[in-house]
Amino acid sequence: MENQELTHFRSLIEALGAAMTRCVVWRYADSDEKYNALQLYRFAEAFDRENPVQDRSFYLVSAEGAIGVSPGAEYLTRWMFIPSMDEASVEKLRADIRQLQEEAKPKPEPKPEPAPQPEPQPPVRRARFCPNCGTPYQNDDAKFCPNCGTPRNA
């Protein structure tokens, strides 16, 4: 049989971690306000910062997942969050989880526009014949006329 003892914690967020294994929707004990696991997690983060537990105090989690705070003796526990697992609340939690999953998906990076390519330059046409004597150059890399020695211009 599962251990039915109450479990002690030093922060509300730790208590919530244990309670979430038993329940995912709670009702605030003093009202009809409901919290799903995500909402209660956000609440617990802020609550723990603003309200650290005193020396002998601790949080309790019941076998059903109720969360309470005790001043040091379990019989004095003030229950803060009572399990409230109705279908509409559970569906709202599912919708919140789906929304978070969508937000967490990596967004595709926009593809950078390709850099404009420079206009291709027409090939440099070099003279094939010496302008001085009309002798053909032996190759395209020749720098001087093989007949008269005139420097080849572009």
Side-chain angles (χ1 to χ4, degrees):
M1 184 172 169
E2 185 179 324
N3 184 358
Q4 296 293 318
E5 292 181 22
L6 299 173
T7 311
H8 300 195
F9 299 95
R10 296 295 299 159
S11 68
L12 180 56
I13 207 142
E14 289 174 3
L16 175 61
M20 284 177 17
T21 64
R22 301 168 185 152
C23 178
V24 293
V25 180
W26 295 265
R27 176 181 56 81
Y28 188 66
D30 295 337
S31 73
D32 288 333
E33 189 174 358
K34 291 186 180 179
Y35 292 87
N36 65 36
L38 295 171
Q39 293 167 323
L40 192 50
Y41 178 82
R42 291 181 185 124
F43 174 84
E45 281 183 314
F47 189 83
D48 283 341
R49 275 193 305 272
E50 297 168 10
N51 304 292
V53 292
Q54 303 304 315
D55 293 332
R56 296 185 58 212
S57 298
F58 51 86
Y59 290 94
L60 294 172
V61 174
S62 73
E64 298 81 16
I67 304 170
V69 64
S70 172
E74 289 180 356
Y75 74 94
L76 296 175
T77 298
R78 183 177 69 83
W79 295 103
M80 299 170 62
F81 298 98
I82 311 298
S84 182
M85 297 278 288
D86 62 274
E87 193 59 39
S89 298
V90 172
E91 185 51 42
K92 181 182 181 331
L93 173 62
R94 288 182 184 136
D96 288 348
I97 290 171
R98 282 191 298 271
Q99 178 183 356
L100 286 174
Q101 288 171 334
E102 286 298 316
E103 291 172 4
K105 283 184 182 176
K107 304 289 186 241
E109 293 285 328
K111 292 183 180 180
E113 292 187 28
Q117 297 296 322
E119 293 282 330
Q121 297 294 326
V124 175
R125 298 191 59 108
R126 301 183 78 184
R128 298 181 69 85
F129 299 94
C130 175
N132 190 33
C133 69
T135 304
Y137 293 109
Q138 293 176 354
N139 62 40
D140 286 338
D141 295 335
K143 297 196 190 250
F144 299 96
C145 174
N147 184 40
C148 69
T150 304
R152 185 177 187 181
N153 294 333

